[in-house]
Amino acid sequence: MPPVLELIRGNIIKYGNPLALKGSEISAWAKGLNLPKTGDLLFYTGGEYQLLPFIDSLVKTMTVMDPNSATFSALLGIRNIVNRTGLAPEKIYASLLAQDKDRFNAVSYKAARILQSLGYDFCYSGEDELYSGALLYELGYWDDLAEYGKRVAKVFQESQAKTIVCLSPHAAEVIKIIYPKFGIHHDLEVKTFVQLVWEQRDKLPKLNTKESVVIHDSCRLARDLGITEEIREILMAMGVEFKEPYRNRAWTTCCGGPNKFMFPELSHTIAERRVGELQDTGADLILTSCPYCLSSLKGGIKSKDKDGIADLIEFLYKGIVG
């Protein structure tokens, strides 16, 4: 197992997110919105969009770094400064290399503003919000997830919410499907951002755009949560032309993201191939609804086409609030 996975595991368990970021850093996007901490609907980011640029930069380098090298030894050797200063060396290292930090950090804000414009009132746990632990499950740290998930469920309980809206399908899958299997109990109805927008699609304005889009279905959203038609009906409600790749819905092609921790080169190859399938439709813009798909596919696009992909949240924001 690449040592980077142990770093991620340790940080989730000790700090509540994969990169030892402070709660104030994870929740910085909400500054000025004055969201209450309690309410019937809990807005949950899990820090996934905010964390992804840092995780990507760390994984890309450390996964291919020789664990016996002096550089890697030095990185691990100075981790004891975390206990004295609260500064994780991998956090600093990843921060220096991370790209698109502002873009990914803004996604949570845009999602909140979209839901507000559709009439939703919601609460947010702010600095107390914890990462869902999805990576603990996906990387096989199941015993750790069974204990860690109880901490997350406690934060949910403190919000007094009846429903939770998850921005990331990875978080929604873990909270809705995986938690109960590990004895992690909560009384929340689990919904995704896509579902909440779909429920109020009649309120969506027509989007005046000449761009055609192609939908990349996220594996978690399409296969595990069964959410496919909702995205299409949202776009139809806004009068947006969309195209379908050859492999779509439950038969969608993987973006390559799940492989990046252990096989970064293979992950990049898979992403490039999926980008090719999507671009073969002739659409102007690739549209997805998952932070990992957004990051992975963006990495598989040639430099001159970097603006050719967007998250559904970013796309909706242009028409609703932007």
Side-chain angles (χ1 to χ4, degrees), residues 9-306:
R9 168 186 172 271
N11 282 337
I12 293 173
I13 294 170
K14 189 170 184 179
Y15 300 102
N17 65 77
L19 212 59
L21 296 184
K22 298 178 181 178
S24 58
E25 295 174 290
I26 295 292
S27 62
W29 66 268
K31 185 177 181 180
L33 290 180
N34 300 316
L35 299 175
K37 279 201 166 186
T38 59
D40 289 338
L41 177 63
L42 176 62
F43 185 89
Y44 182 69
T45 76
E48 293 194 49
Y49 280 96
Q50 302 95 302
L51 282 162
L52 204 59
F54 301 99
I55 293 176
D56 278 351
S57 63
L58 182 67
V59 169
K60 285 177 183 177
T61 302
M62 293 186 66
T63 307
V64 297
M65 185 184 293
D66 181 359
N68 298 313
S69 69
T71 302
F72 189 75
S73 297
L75 179 62
L76 294 184
I78 61 173
R79 289 203 84 248
N80 60 9
I81 69 173
V82 174
N83 296 326
R84 298 201 304 268
T85 67
L87 298 175
E90 66 270 17
K91 167 184 165 181
I92 299 171
Y93 177 74
S95 296
L96 294 174
L97 298 178
Q99 298 179 352
D100 291 333
K101 289 184 286 187
D102 293 340
R103 175 185 182 180
F104 278 82
N105 198 50
V107 173
S108 296
Y109 172 82
K110 292 177 179 179
R113 293 288 290 114
I114 290 168
L115 294 183
Q116 286 177 333
S117 74
L118 294 175
Y120 289 104
D121 292 319
F122 48 84
C123 61
Y124 174 56
S125 298
E127 296 185 11
D128 296 327
E129 184 183 65
L130 297 175
Y131 171 68
S132 69
L135 284 174
L136 293 177
Y137 175 71
E138 292 170 6
L139 297 175
Y141 296 113
W142 289 6
D143 290 341
D144 293 320
L145 176 66
E147 291 302 314
Y148 175 77
K150 296 175 184 177
R151 290 168 51 195
V152 183
K154 183 178 179 181
V155 176
F156 293 163
Q157 185 178 21
E158 291 170 351
S159 74
Q160 301 176 27
K162 298 176 183 177
T163 304
I164 182 171
V165 53
C166 301
L167 298 193
S168 167
H170 287 254
E173 180 214 12
V174 168
I175 296 168
K176 182 176 183 177
I177 300 173
I178 305 303
Y179 274 12
K181 294 181 179 180
F182 284 82
I184 304 165
H185 302 294
H186 58 79
D187 297 322
L188 293 167
E189 180 182 11
V190 181
K191 293 188 175 183
T192 65
F193 171 83
V194 171
Q195 287 172 294
L196 258 63
V197 173
W198 176 79
E199 289 173 6
Q200 298 295 330
R201 63 191 180 281
D202 292 342
K203 296 181 180 179
L204 294 171
K206 297 296 182 181
L207 187 58
N208 185 21
T209 178
K210 294 182 180 180
E211 276 189 322
S212 62
V213 303
V214 56
I215 300 170
H216 166 74
D217 292 288
S218 155
C219 291
R220 292 288 180 269
L221 204 60
R223 295 196 182 104
D224 299 311
L225 298 171
I227 297 173
T228 57
E229 302 315 304
E230 290 86 342
I231 296 175
R232 290 154 175 84
E233 291 179 11
I234 287 171
L235 294 178
M236 285 189 287
M238 299 185 76
V240 176
E241 176 191 351
F242 63 89
K243 300 177 183 295
E244 300 280 8
Y246 178 70
R247 296 177 179 85
N248 59 69
R249 295 175 171 82
W251 292 98
T252 184
T253 301
C254 178
C255 69
N259 300 315
K260 69 172 60 179
F261 295 100
M262 300 181 69
F263 308 106
E265 292 183 2
L266 176 60
S267 172
H268 184 69
T269 297
I270 293 173
E272 286 185 324
R273 289 181 178 177
R274 180 53 171 170
V275 166
E277 292 175 357
L278 295 164
Q279 290 180 334
D280 283 346
T281 64
D284 301 310
L285 183 70
I286 296 170
L287 199 61
T288 188
S289 300
C290 169
Y292 297 96
C293 291
L294 177 61
S295 176
S296 186
L297 293 177
K298 184 175 181 297
I301 295 178
K302 295 179 180 178
S303 297
K304 65 181 181 66
D305 298 323
K306 288 298 182 184

